[in-house]
Amino acid sequence: MRSQRDWYAWHAGYDDPSSLLSDRLRVVQRLIEDWLDATAPRRVTVVSACAGDGRDVLEVLEHRADADRVQATLVESDPRLVERAVEHIERAGLTGISVRCTDAGNTSAYAEAAPADLVLLCGIFGNISDEDVHRTIAAAPQLCQPGARVLWTRHRRTPDLTPRIRRWFAEHGFGEEGFVAPDHAMYAVGAHRFHGRPQALEPGRRLFSFLG
């Protein structure tokens, strides 16, 4: 099922720096920044699923002197958001960043981009079925290099799925490195390190579909 929500309009929430969307974005960006600091100076690869306009990655990279060591692939199906991401990349003079206008819920979207050193699964788990969340986590080893970090987000509204998400990551070879669940908001941001054995990407496999 394809989501009927207008995701381009939804992104307007980021324009308010006091919104919870912006608050969550800052948490994700801080975790990306910390990871980049920890991996310097080696070259690294990034994959962002359902990347939107890519601001979580792009707003970090545009202020870093070592941005050219990062090769990132942003996957987004909304052509308007893709256009905004491309404009941002060109405006910031970033190199090594590509945007794919395609369905991030299909493994074929990650051909030649995975496995990556950093995988972003942000803004996904709260918009798909529990079964699809589990399926995506089970397939995450196909997207990850050994030692890769995965960042994910999910709301904690009842019934809170985040305890099961954390357990599912553990069951599929990931160790938890951080879990941010602020008292003032219902969002959560998780960070996991892949300690398992990488798996070959299976093209054409359905991971998730957004709910209406």
Side-chain angles (χ1 to χ4, degrees):
M1 180 184 299
R2 186 175 180 83
S3 173
Q4 298 303 308
R5 177 177 290 183
D6 184 343
W7 290 104
Y8 185 84
W10 180 88
H11 275 70
Y14 287 117
D15 296 334
D16 177 4
S18 66
S19 71
L20 291 179
L21 273 180
S22 293
D23 194 58
R24 188 187 74 178
L25 173 65
R26 287 189 288 270
V27 173
V28 173
Q29 289 177 329
R30 175 177 56 80
L31 292 171
I32 294 173
E33 192 90 56
D34 291 347
W35 175 79
L36 286 169
D37 289 343
T39 58
R42 68 182 177 89
R43 299 189 65 82
V44 291
T45 55
V46 178
V47 164
S48 179
C50 297
D53 59 11
R55 70 180 68 197
D56 47 4
V57 174
L58 302 179
E59 288 181 356
V60 171
L61 291 179
E62 67 183 350
H63 298 298
R64 292 187 65 98
D66 62 347
D68 60 351
R69 71 183 177 91
V70 179
Q71 180 178 336
T73 302
L74 313 181
V75 181
E76 170 58 45
S77 63
D78 189 310
R80 299 166 297 175
L81 292 171
V82 167
E83 182 179 3
R84 278 172 50 171
V86 171
E87 290 174 351
H88 192 162
I89 291 167
E90 294 175 347
R91 184 171 64 251
L94 296 171
T95 60
I97 316 299
S98 63
V99 189
R100 297 181 178 181
C101 188
T102 191
D103 178 9
N106 190 300
T107 55
S108 293
Y110 308 100
E112 300 181 0
D117 299 300
L118 175 66
V119 176
L120 303 181
L121 300 174
C122 299
I124 299 174
F125 291 167
N127 297 292
I128 63 178
S129 70
D130 294 359
E131 292 78 10
D132 279 1
V133 173
H134 191 191
R135 183 180 299 108
T136 301
I137 294 170
Q142 297 183 32
L143 305 179
C144 293
Q145 292 276 13
R149 171 172 280 196
V150 174
L151 302 181
W152 57 272
T153 62
R154 162 78 189 204
H155 63 76
R156 292 180 289 125
R157 293 190 295 271
T158 303
D160 183 3
L161 191 66
T162 61
R164 294 169 64 189
I165 291 174
R166 298 163 78 181
R167 185 173 70 249
W168 289 336
F169 271 108
E171 291 171 353
H172 291 283
F174 294 84
E176 186 169 276
E177 294 194 326
F179 182 71
V180 180
D183 293 335
H184 67 275
M186 293 301 292
Y187 72 75
V189 181
H192 283 73
R193 178 79 62 180
F194 182 50
H195 300 300
R197 179 177 298 177
Q199 300 175 9
L201 186 70
E202 300 177 24
R205 179 177 174 185
R206 171 57 51 185
L207 299 178
F208 59 83
S209 297
F210 271 40
L211 301 174

